[in-house]
């Protein structure tokens, strides 16, 4: 059976001076429209209790273009401007669904520089991609071929902090096929000393990408701190700092892709722990190491690849005592400090802390599949109520 999935293919490209100027203007206009629409929606609800949706903001955009002050919005393609209003609507939808925080304003220096084009605003023929308001195609480095017969539905152009230009083409990929079932199951315990410990006993080392470039990063940041704000020298050194960060992120992402692809191909069922990384990084002693390990990105890759290839990923509740539970006899230890890497149970079994945790996670995950998918026991307070924080309901502006 073939599954048709939407898949984004990302490539580097080198714009001409005219193309770079046009895209920079587009990025600025996209940011301006997004911020103005967000301010209008917020002000309408706070002052008049009035709800503003996408259609209303689209009408506002038409009115803004007719003013002398914002006439420059007519100089760029209208499609990216309309798309940013759709993205704002999606952001509010996620907020009202309690899946995200309230939308924030885009900063000129810190926000991602990007613009999205739909089929009416680009032309893709014979491997040449031409965007609206441009006469020449982009010089794309086609590092891998698109699926045969693929027709991009949207094209997203972006520039990262290191000054690199990227184009992402969203296509239907008919080549994604579920893998044959093999019946293999594996439990995975994440850590810092070893990035992953599998229930098979295999340990995958933590490459610590950030630590490898820490000296170069610190040197560039010290140099940046000495430059005058707003100067050309500061902009030049800031680019050096961004390039070090980009190199670290690229190596980390490449490694995670290789690991997750291998795990999905080899195993039918993968059991992980449902960690709240955003709370764990509040520990300032471990925040840097946890961020470098990228546990959230690892889980995200694992889940979408498992969905593509017909595999199952089970997340065991984070309060499950996987490290303190003996995988042989089921005895629960009272305490297990982090410095204890090996321990002996009363039954005589000696455990490696991480391997034992992976065994327990696998057993708990398989029990969930038997009892019913999605079963996650909640931690209870002494009064018997769930310890899950109850948030006040949000009212829609």
């Amino acid at each position: 059976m073939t599954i048709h999935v939407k898949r984004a293919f990302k490539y580097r490209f080198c714009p001409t001076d005219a193309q770079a100027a046009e895209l920079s203007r587009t990025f600025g206009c996209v940011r301006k429209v997004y911020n103005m629409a967000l301010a209008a929606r917020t002000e309408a609800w706070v002052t008049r209790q009035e709800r503003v949706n996408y259609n209303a903001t689209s009408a506002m955009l038409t009115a803004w273009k007719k003013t002398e002050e914002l006439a420059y919005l007519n100089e760029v393609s209208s499609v990216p401007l309309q798309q940013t209003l759709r993205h704002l609507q999606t952001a509010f939808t996620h907020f009202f669904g309690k899946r995200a925080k309230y939308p924030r304003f885009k900063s000129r220096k810190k926000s991602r520089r990007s613009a999205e084009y739909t089929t009416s605003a680009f032309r893709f023929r014979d491997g040449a991609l031409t965007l609206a308001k441009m006469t020449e195609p982009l010089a794309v480095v086609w590092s891998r071929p698109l699926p045969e017969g693929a027709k991009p539905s949207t094209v997203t152009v972006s520039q990262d902090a290191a000054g690199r230009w990227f184009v992402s083409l969203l296509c239907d990929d008919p080549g994604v096929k579920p893998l044959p079932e093999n019946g293999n199951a594996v439990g995975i315990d994440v850590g810092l000393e070893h990035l992953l410990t599998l229930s098979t006993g295999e340990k995958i080392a933590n490459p610590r990408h950030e630590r490898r470039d820490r000296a170069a990063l610190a040197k560039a940041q010290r140099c940046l701190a000495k430059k005058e704000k707003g100067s050309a020298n500061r902009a030049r050194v800031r680019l050096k700092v961004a390039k070090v960060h980009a190199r670290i992120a690229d190596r980390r992402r490449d490694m995670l892709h290789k690991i997750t692809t291998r795990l999905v191909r080899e195993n039918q069922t993968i059991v992980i722990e449902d960690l709240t990384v955003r709370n764990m990084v509040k520990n300032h002693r471990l925040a840097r190491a946890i961020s470098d390990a990228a546990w959230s990105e690892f889980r995200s890759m694992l889940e979408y690849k498992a969905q593509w290839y017909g595999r199952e990923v089970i997340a065991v509740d984070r309060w499950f005592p996987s490290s303190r539970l003996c995988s042989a006899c089921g005895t629960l230890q009272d305490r297990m400090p982090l410095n204890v890497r090996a321990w002996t149970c009363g039954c005589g079994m000696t455990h490696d802390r991480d391997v034992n945790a992976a065994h327990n996670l696998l057993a708990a995950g398989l029990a969930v599949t038997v009892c019913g998918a999605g079963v996650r026991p909640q931690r209870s307070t002494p009064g018997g109520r769930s310890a899950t924080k109850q948030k006040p309901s949000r009212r829609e502006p």
Side-chain angles (χ1 to χ4, degrees), residues 279-291:
N279 291 335
M280 299 177 72
V281 295
K282 294 178 181 179
N283 183 339
H284 299 297
R285 293 184 178 181
L286 299 176
R288 196 169 193 171
I290 292 174
S291 299

Side-chain angles (χ1 to χ4, degrees), residues 33-208:
V33 169
Y34 184 94
N35 288 342
M36 292 178 63
L38 175 56
R41 294 184 67 148
T42 303
E43 187 269 341
W45 176 255
V46 172
T47 61
R48 304 187 299 275
Q49 300 292 297
E50 178 185 346
R51 298 180 181 180
V52 178
N53 56 17
Y54 163 75
N55 293 331
T57 54
S58 181
M60 290 179 187
L61 176 59
T62 302
W64 293 336
K65 287 183 176 182
K66 295 179 180 178
T67 63
E68 182 178 356
E69 181 183 1
L70 298 174
Y72 62 86
L73 295 178
N74 294 290
E75 298 176 3
V76 301
S77 173
S78 61
V79 173
L81 306 185
Q82 294 289 346
Q83 288 299 103
T84 197
L85 295 180
R86 291 188 174 93
H87 294 164
L88 179 60
Q89 179 64 37
T90 302
F92 271 105
T93 301
H94 290 324
F95 171 71
F96 299 138
K98 300 182 180 179
R99 297 185 296 273
K101 295 182 179 180
Y102 193 82
R104 296 184 295 180
F105 291 97
K106 292 183 181 293
S107 167
R108 183 174 64 87
K109 294 183 179 180
K110 297 181 180 180
S111 296
R112 181 170 179 258
R113 293 162 55 84
S114 66
E116 185 176 273
Y117 296 78
T118 58
T119 51
S120 61
F122 69 86
R123 183 174 68 253
F124 183 72
R125 293 178 184 172
D126 302 326
L129 176 65
T130 306
L131 302 178
K133 301 287 186 178
M134 295 184 186
T135 57
E136 299 179 359
L138 300 180
V140 181
V141 181
W142 299 103
S143 54
R144 56 175 173 167
L146 289 173
E148 186 177 354
K151 295 181 179 179
S153 57
T154 62
V155 169
T156 302
V157 181
S158 61
Q159 185 184 26
D160 67 2
R164 303 178 300 178
W165 294 86
F166 296 94
V167 58
S168 178
L169 289 76
L170 186 65
C171 311
D172 282 322
D173 188 0
V176 176
K177 300 178 181 179
L179 297 172
E181 295 189 12
N182 55 25
N184 296 337
V186 66
I188 302 176
D189 180 64
V190 298
L192 297 178
E193 185 65 27
H194 294 90
L195 181 64
L196 303 175
T197 301
L198 310 185
S199 56
T200 58
E202 178 186 357
K203 294 187 176 183
I204 299 176
N206 186 358
R208 302 181 187 273

